[in-house]
Amino acid sequence: MITVKTITLIGAGNVATHLGKALLNNGISINEVYSKSIANASFLASVLNASACNNIQDLNTESDLYLICIKDDCIESVVKQFAFTDKIVVHTSGSVPMDVLSKFDHYGIFYPLQTFSKKAKTNITEVPFCIEGINNETEQTLFNLGEMLSDNVHLINSEQRKKIHLAAIFACNFSNYMYSISETLLNQNNIDFEILKPLIIETAKKIQHNSAKSMQTGPAKRNDEAVIKNHLKMLADDKDYQDIYKLITDNIIKGN
Amino acid sequence: MITVKTITLIGAGNVATHLGKALLNNGISINEVYSKSIANASFLASVLNASACNNIQDLNTESDLYLICIKDDCIESVVKQFAFTDKIVVHTSGSVPMDVLSKFDHYGIFYPLQTFSKKAKTNITEVPFCIEGINNETEQTLFNLGEMLSDNVHLINSEQRKKIHLAAIFACNFSNYMYSISETLLNQNNIDFEILKPLIIETAKKIQHNSAKSMQTGPAKRNDEAVIKNHLKMLADDKDYQDIYKLITDNIIKGN
């Protein structure tokens, strides 16, 4: 196990920005920031007191660890361009297999299970980190690094990580899409989305201490046919939303 | 306009309990609690220092206002049983038309747009109340009553209330169902649902100050075909969840 002191960030987006700042705040130096856009690399580098680079083959080789924070479908091609293989290289993706990094001597996963955005501050100490390493030494190195940032660090193998990522699509992306539909329905009727926000927060809070299944309420849960029929009628002009309403309602009724 | 000083609660469930306590805390006396189950009526009545009743025709006629907090599909039949018509009678439902109360001289809606549960405490001052009255006087009476409890009181007509209720099904019931699916997927793989909870709270928080549509992320938003295909494969043994994943993903891709 080594103690990581200097890191190179591959990527300059939301994940790189949030992790870079959190690492710096915890005494790790950010040596270099890579982005294919030198402007983006330079911007984040200036915030993190690092140098900037837009060519993987020119990466400084002095860092203890190389943290890949780029889009899932770019990871493989970026990995191919690395000129060295004797460093610890890890990625931060929920869905990309670990063995995409197998050309390196030491590799692993450092996956923060959170949605980061430029506008919103995130309390990094509560973010669950899913850690995996190709061997015990690497795994311990990454686990310790995770524990410097967060109180919520887990060893998660690639199979489990795939399941968690899929579950997160429902819990995060799809629940946000439900908010988005409700927002559209209100906008269509000149009603301010503001009125639903306390309900949305309360719904998310309720499952923090109860199982989500046990917290299910509403006409579908009660199988209240009159209300459901009326809602489907109200959605008659919007076939897509009507299909979504119907499919989800049917599944709640079935107790799925 | 009258100032409401005494209220009879029709119902003894979650809504009656939360509203009853909030009214009592704000200096309104609860005169009587009705439930078809005398045990339930007595239990809530004892908490609220009220009398209990399980026969609508025996209701005490001394209250200023009768607040109906029972299941949507029971409202009509309960209304029929009232022996008097010269009181203010209101219901708390999002989906039942106001004119179900038209036998009364004064009637209206007092709809709290929130999900109440026995276990969870709710900050009533933040709950949006949707108010409607059959005439200005009743409307003003109900509006003032709402403002005693909450800082978030709105005049909302029946048409708008129906739209809000439908939007709330997506924002609350269906988002909870998305949590429930994610919980099931993790349980199937012996992974603790706990790991997704910070993400769920953050997703709900993000839309408090941004439009939900602008906060959409994930493989569907990016139209990341490889990840989507892989997820559909992972759900091959659960056709229902696969159908939901596919339909929601298709709609996000379409930009609906």
Side-chain angles (χ1 to χ4, degrees):
Chain A
M1 192 198 101
I2 67 151
T3 302
V4 174
K5 289 184 188 151
T6 57
I7 285 183
T8 291
L9 289 175
I10 311 297
N14 290 335
V15 175
T17 302
H18 279 83
L19 291 186
K21 286 181 184 174
L23 289 162
L24 193 62
N25 286 339
N26 283 281
I28 310 275
S29 15
I30 308 302
N31 188 8
E32 196 167 34
V33 176
Y34 160 86
S35 168
K36 66 183 173 189
S37 144
I38 191 68
N40 292 349
S42 299
F43 180 78
L44 182 56
S46 72
V47 173
L48 300 175
N49 202 19
S51 61
C53 164
N54 72 338
N55 185 342
I56 292 284
Q57 286 162 331
D58 294 340
L59 281 180
N60 182 316
T61 58
E62 302 295 308
S63 291
D64 297 324
L65 188 142
Y66 292 76
L67 189 60
I68 300 179
C69 313
I70 58 177
K71 282 192 181 135
D72 291 5
D73 46 4
C74 303
I75 295 177
E76 205 165 347
S77 72
V78 160
V79 163
K80 278 193 189 140
Q81 301 166 48
F82 273 74
F84 56 83
T85 60
D86 57 346
K87 298 287 177 176
I88 310 179
V89 182
V90 306
H91 76 61
T92 52
S93 160
S95 66
V96 175
M98 183 167 68
D99 63 13
V100 73
L101 302 170
S102 61
K103 77 182 242 186
F104 300 104
D105 296 346
H106 312 279
Y107 58 97
I109 306 294
F110 196 76
Y111 168 43
L113 183 53
Q114 189 51 282
T115 169
F116 295 108
S117 61
K118 289 219 169 72
K119 287 183 193 170
K121 264 206 165 174
T122 306
N123 182 357
I124 202 96
T125 62
E126 292 173 3
V127 172
F129 277 84
C130 301
I131 304 293
E132 186 179 11
I134 184 58
N135 52 42
N136 285 344
E137 197 195 348
T138 308
E139 204 156 80
Q140 196 58 52
T141 298
L142 296 176
F143 198 88
N144 290 1
L145 185 67
E147 284 200 315
M148 289 180 66
L149 307 186
S150 168
D151 302 326
N152 200 349
V153 183
H154 305 264
L155 286 183
I156 299 285
N157 67 36
S158 281
E159 258 324 289
Q160 289 172 314
R161 181 164 46 90
K162 272 169 62 181
K163 309 287 189 186
I164 292 171
H165 184 251
L166 174 60
I169 302 294
F170 285 91
C172 168
N173 300 154
F174 290 178
S175 66
N176 188 77
Y177 187 60
M178 297 301 124
Y179 307 155
S180 177
I181 293 178
S182 70
E183 182 180 49
T184 303
L185 292 173
L186 292 187
N187 286 347
Q188 284 169 354
N189 292 281
N190 299 313
I191 302 165
D192 194 333
F193 182 45
E194 208 59 41
I195 203 167
L196 278 182
K197 290 180 177 177
L199 179 63
I200 286 172
I201 277 288
E202 186 67 18
T203 303
K205 276 190 185 160
K206 275 171 84 169
I207 58 93
Q208 299 295 311
H209 303 289
N210 300 284
S211 97
K213 192 158 187 173
S214 74
M215 289 293 107
Q216 191 64 53
T217 57
K221 176 68 185 170
R222 296 191 305 273
N223 197 1
D224 187 333
E225 290 177 21
V227 172
I228 293 166
K229 211 167 150 183
N230 193 35
H231 283 165
L232 290 172
K233 217 165 108 186
M234 286 167 73
L235 292 168
D237 289 339
D238 198 329
K239 184 75 176 49
D240 289 323
Y241 288 174
Q242 195 189 51
D243 286 347
I244 292 171
Y245 185 104
K246 200 169 174 331
L247 184 63
I248 295 177
T249 292
D250 287 348
N251 275 278
I252 295 174
I253 291 172
K254 278 198 267 181
N256 278 339
Chain B
M1 191 197 101
I2 67 151
T3 302
V4 174
K5 288 184 187 149
T6 58
I7 285 184
T8 291
L9 290 175
I10 310 296
N14 290 335
V15 175
T17 302
H18 279 84
L19 290 186
K21 286 180 183 173
L23 289 162
L24 193 62
N25 286 339
N26 284 280
I28 310 274
S29 18
I30 309 302
N31 189 7
E32 196 168 32
V33 176
Y34 160 87
S35 168
K36 64 185 174 187
S37 144
I38 191 68
N40 292 348
S42 299
F43 179 79
L44 183 56
S46 72
V47 173
L48 300 174
N49 202 19
S51 61
C53 164
N54 71 338
N55 185 339
I56 291 283
Q57 285 162 332
D58 295 341
L59 280 179
N60 182 315
T61 58
E62 301 296 308
S63 291
D64 296 324
L65 186 141
Y66 292 75
L67 188 60
I68 300 178
C69 312
I70 59 177
K71 282 192 181 135
D72 291 5
D73 46 5
C74 304
I75 295 177
E76 203 165 348
S77 73
V78 160
V79 163
K80 277 191 188 141
Q81 300 166 49
F82 272 74
F84 56 82
T85 59
D86 58 345
K87 298 286 177 178
I88 311 179
V89 181
V90 306
H91 76 62
T92 51
S93 160
S95 66
V96 175
M98 183 167 69
D99 63 13
V100 72
L101 303 170
S102 62
K103 78 184 243 184
F104 299 106
D105 296 346
H106 313 279
Y107 58 96
I109 305 294
F110 195 75
Y111 168 44
L113 182 54
Q114 189 50 283
T115 169
F116 296 107
S117 61
K118 288 218 168 73
K119 288 183 194 167
K121 263 204 165 177
T122 307
N123 183 358
I124 201 96
T125 62
E126 292 173 2
V127 172
F129 277 84
C130 301
I131 303 293
E132 186 178 12
I134 183 59
N135 53 43
N136 285 345
E137 197 194 346
T138 307
E139 205 157 79
Q140 195 58 52
T141 297
L142 296 175
F143 197 90
N144 290 1
L145 186 66
E147 285 201 314
M148 289 181 67
L149 307 186
S150 169
D151 302 326
N152 200 348
V153 183
H154 305 264
L155 286 183
I156 298 286
N157 67 37
S158 282
E159 259 323 289
Q160 288 171 313
R161 181 165 46 89
K162 272 169 62 181
K163 308 287 188 185
I164 291 171
H165 183 251
L166 174 60
I169 302 294
F170 285 92
C172 169
N173 301 154
F174 291 177
S175 66
N176 188 77
Y177 187 60
M178 297 301 123
Y179 307 156
S180 178
I181 293 177
S182 70
E183 183 181 47
T184 303
L185 292 172
L186 292 187
N187 286 346
Q188 285 170 353
N189 293 281
N190 300 313
I191 302 165
D192 194 333
F193 183 44
E194 208 60 40
I195 203 168
L196 277 181
K197 290 180 179 178
L199 179 62
I200 286 172
I201 277 288
E202 185 67 18
T203 304
K205 276 190 186 160
K206 276 171 85 169
I207 59 92
Q208 299 295 311
H209 303 290
N210 300 285
S211 97
K213 192 158 188 175
S214 74
M215 289 293 107
Q216 191 64 51
T217 57
K221 176 68 185 172
R222 296 191 305 272
N223 198 1
D224 186 334
E225 289 177 22
V227 172
I228 293 167
K229 213 168 151 183
N230 193 35
H231 284 164
L232 290 172
K233 218 165 109 185
M234 287 169 72
L235 292 169
D237 289 340
D238 198 329
K239 182 75 175 50
D240 289 323
Y241 288 174
Q242 194 189 51
D243 285 348
I244 292 170
Y245 185 104
K246 199 169 175 333
L247 184 63
I248 295 177
T249 292
D250 287 348
N251 274 280
I252 296 174
I253 291 172
K254 278 198 266 181
N256 277 338

